Amino acid sequence: MKKLSLILMAGITLVACNREISTAEDPANSNRIAVRSGGEIAGELHPMNETVTVSGKNMVTPQSYTYQAFAEGPGNLAYTKEDFTNGLTTGFSDSAQATAIFPVDDFLFVTWHLEHEEFGGAVSAYRYNSGTQTYDYLSIATFDDTDFHELHASKNSLTGYYEIFLVGQRSQATSGYVLQGHRGAIVGKLLFNYINNTFNVGAYKELPLPGFGANDIMSAGGSLYVVTGNGLGLPSGAFGGNEFSGVFKTDPALTNVSQAYTLTDGIVLEVDPFNSSPSAANYALIDFSQNGGMNMKTYYDLSSTNPLSSLATASSTTVNVGGAANFRDRSGAAFVPATYDINGNVTSTALVMAVGLLDGMHVVDVTTGTATELTNTNVWRGQSVAYDHSTKIIYVAAADQGMMMLAAPGYPGGVLVNDYDNVGIFAPPTSAPLSAPEFNVKDVSIYQANNIAIAVGGANVGSTKPAKGGVYFTRRN
């Protein structure tokens, strides 16, 4: 989960509106969205060729990785800022941070946003050449009034486009959306032409949603499911209005919201890639609440055809995450295999959760519904999780701790390694470009089996390096 702004413009009025609000192409797209391609962005991708080795004390075999490229965040990013004192102001920032990475085919799409109260974001398109193991930076679309938190992309062979669904938070002062409970949460659809390798701004569509910010999105059964929240674990109406958080179902055309389920503060919606049985835990939804103490409720055992419809009766478990929890930071989750049969087939899964700030890691056994705090990980700022099935290693983006490597169930460590033990700390590069920030890891994604994208950014205390974020593209050798 990414930054959510709770500042509201004075004078913005929300009136009642039903769920059938629809959207169309925004005639003002050209004013708020800009596209750069080719030579305009050539200097923002830096080739690298540095091999590092990770040798943890409990690691069975040292792991070797090669840093192949570094993609820096967009500079001079236009933003909109709104507050009670100064009203609506605009400006430019060099502090864009990567928020999510989504691989599809040979392409990687990366979302960016500005932290604090500035609304400004972007989505970048990169292409990986597996033959030469090199990367190309193809295009970027920048938005001067919208933060992006997460994305989902799929290929439409009939049209020649990748359909990129973006979720985040747009300035209410510029959108003018009238929707009950809306405080900035949006889902947008942006097309990327994979023939011409550029974004199609004119066809961008957007749908407002209840809530302050949209934090996660997934596709299932031909529909899209979007989770919104407020970042503080507070229930509907806690901010003096009719705002509420929830999970919302819409179609790929973003015609309207056809189904909704109210939450306290929605954070993560995760797909179980190892379990396809309709009666098993195909999806998990994480909701955060401060009521009765700070805790995190995880729903599972959701329907594989319509997970939203089964929420009312779904199995769930509650994890106490302590008084330090604050999900205005980031958090993430990933399913991992928990047990195998004698042939090595996955027979059950577990959900590993990084809950941000000082609350470390938790795991939910989706078969028994029990939740356990993982005290042996040495992670206290977990912000994103990715699972590598080939090595049975869990990578955890742990902010200024770097990136931790945990032993998943089945890791060949013998009796000396327990499930979820910390078996290594990923090695940062020594030959990082001058534009690279500290190795403050915010997000991690695995693609094409052996490739790992690592989002870094933010200024560590006392650092003289850039605060602007970026993404390392690495390969496990």
Side-chain angles (χ1 to χ4, degrees):
M1 178 183 173
K2 287 78 188 176
K3 175 264 288 180
L4 299 178
S5 172
L6 300 180
I7 290 183
L8 304 179
M9 274 290 290
I12 293 177
T13 303
L14 300 177
V15 299
C17 183
N18 64 33
R19 296 186 310 186
E20 298 303 312
I21 185 169
S22 61
T23 186
E25 295 180 10
D26 187 344
N29 282 346
S30 60
N31 296 328
R32 59 183 287 242
I33 311 174
V35 174
R36 293 186 293 126
S37 301
E40 295 178 284
I41 54 177
E44 298 175 18
L45 180 66
H46 306 271
M48 298 178 65
N49 185 20
E50 180 183 349
T51 298
V52 298
T53 301
V54 179
S55 301
K57 68 176 184 178
N58 291 324
M59 187 169 287
V60 177
T61 303
Q63 298 288 331
S64 172
Y65 303 84
T66 297
Y67 285 89
Q68 297 178 317
F70 174 75
E72 61 180 89
N76 207 32
L77 186 63
Y79 68 78
T80 298
K81 184 176 182 178
E82 54 184 52
D83 59 49
F84 290 111
T85 302
N86 300 312
L88 185 67
T89 59
T90 59
F92 297 89
S93 174
D94 282 323
S95 298
Q97 307 295 322
T99 52
I101 305 162
F102 194 96
V104 54
D105 298 329
D106 294 330
F107 293 86
L108 292 104
F109 297 100
V110 178
T111 52
W112 310 85
H113 81 158
L114 295 176
E115 296 180 327
H116 309 301
E117 308 308 335
E118 291 82 16
F119 292 94
V123 54
S124 297
Y126 306 89
R127 182 172 54 200
Y128 174 62
N129 186 321
S130 57
T132 61
Q133 296 188 22
T134 57
Y135 290 82
D136 295 308
Y137 192 1
L138 302 176
S139 185
I140 182 173
T142 61
F143 293 68
D144 66 10
D145 64 352
T146 308
D147 287 333
F148 291 116
H149 301 161
E150 191 56 80
L151 76 162
H152 175 85
S154 60
K155 184 178 183 178
N156 189 329
S157 304
L158 298 177
T159 63
Y161 287 105
Y162 282 101
E163 298 177 341
I164 305 168
F165 298 95
L166 307 161
V167 295
Q169 183 181 30
R170 183 178 177 185
S171 165
Q172 290 181 267
T174 64
S175 71
Y177 287 135
V178 180
L179 174 68
Q180 180 176 325
H182 176 70
R183 290 294 188 270
I186 57 94
V187 54
K189 180 180 181 180
L190 180 66
L191 300 181
F192 178 80
N193 187 320
Y194 60 81
I195 306 299
N196 298 327
N197 294 324
T198 190
F199 290 104
N200 183 347
V201 171
Y204 177 75
K205 291 185 177 182
E206 194 171 88
L207 184 68
L209 299 169
F212 284 93
N215 298 319
D216 211 348
I217 181 172
M218 77 171 191
S219 174
S223 298
L224 296 170
Y225 298 85
V226 182
V227 174
T228 71
N230 53 59
L232 292 176
L234 297 176
S236 302
F239 304 97
N242 55 8
E243 76 289 323
F244 65 97
S245 303
V247 53
F248 304 93
K249 179 181 178 180
T250 185
D251 61 293
L254 302 188
T255 307
N256 55 43
V257 172
S258 60
Q259 198 175 358
Y261 184 89
T262 302
L263 301 169
T264 300
D265 183 5
I267 302 174
V268 172
L269 187 57
E270 191 70 21
V271 181
D272 183 351
F274 304 103
N275 201 333
S276 58
S277 171
S279 62
N282 297 98
Y283 313 104
L285 170 66
I286 299 176
D287 188 20
F288 170 58
S289 173
Q290 290 194 29
N291 291 344
M294 292 189 178
N295 53 65
M296 180 170 55
K297 186 173 185 178
T298 303
Y299 301 85
Y300 53 94
D301 195 20
L302 305 181
S303 163
S304 64
T305 55
N306 188 348
L308 198 150
S309 66
S310 64
L311 270 170
T313 57
S315 302
S316 65
T317 187
T318 300
V319 177
N320 189 316
V321 293
N326 182 339
F327 290 97
R328 296 188 74 183
D329 198 38
R330 301 170 184 235
S331 58
F335 280 98
V336 303
T339 58
Y340 300 83
D341 62 20
I342 59 174
N343 297 317
N345 300 312
V346 177
T347 54
S348 69
T349 56
L351 183 72
V352 178
M353 304 181 295
V355 297
L357 292 178
L358 302 179
D359 291 286
M361 308 288 296
H362 294 76
V363 62
V364 174
D365 184 326
V366 297
T367 301
T368 64
T370 57
T372 305
E373 183 177 2
L374 300 176
T375 58
N376 54 340
T377 64
N378 295 322
V379 176
W380 59 83
R381 293 201 62 184
Q383 302 193 333
S384 176
V385 182
Y387 173 66
D388 183 352
H389 192 52
S390 58
T391 61
K392 294 183 173 58
I393 289 177
I394 301 167
Y395 296 92
V396 181
D400 51 12
Q401 286 186 275
M403 189 162 76
M404 300 296 185
M405 303 165 66
L406 311 182
Y411 178 80
V415 296
L416 297 179
V417 179
N418 297 313
D419 291 349
Y420 310 110
D421 274 352
N422 191 323
V423 295
I425 302 176
F426 202 88
T430 59
S431 60
L434 293 176
S435 59
E438 296 280 2
F439 201 67
N440 190 329
V441 183
K442 302 297 184 65
D443 194 32
V444 56
S445 180
I446 297 174
Y447 55 101
Q448 294 190 8
N450 294 322
N451 293 25
I452 307 173
I454 306 168
V456 296
N460 290 0
V461 177
S463 172
T464 58
K465 292 188 176 183
K468 181 173 66 173
V471 178
Y472 286 108
F473 298 120
T474 70
R475 179 174 177 80
R476 181 171 56 83
N477 300 319

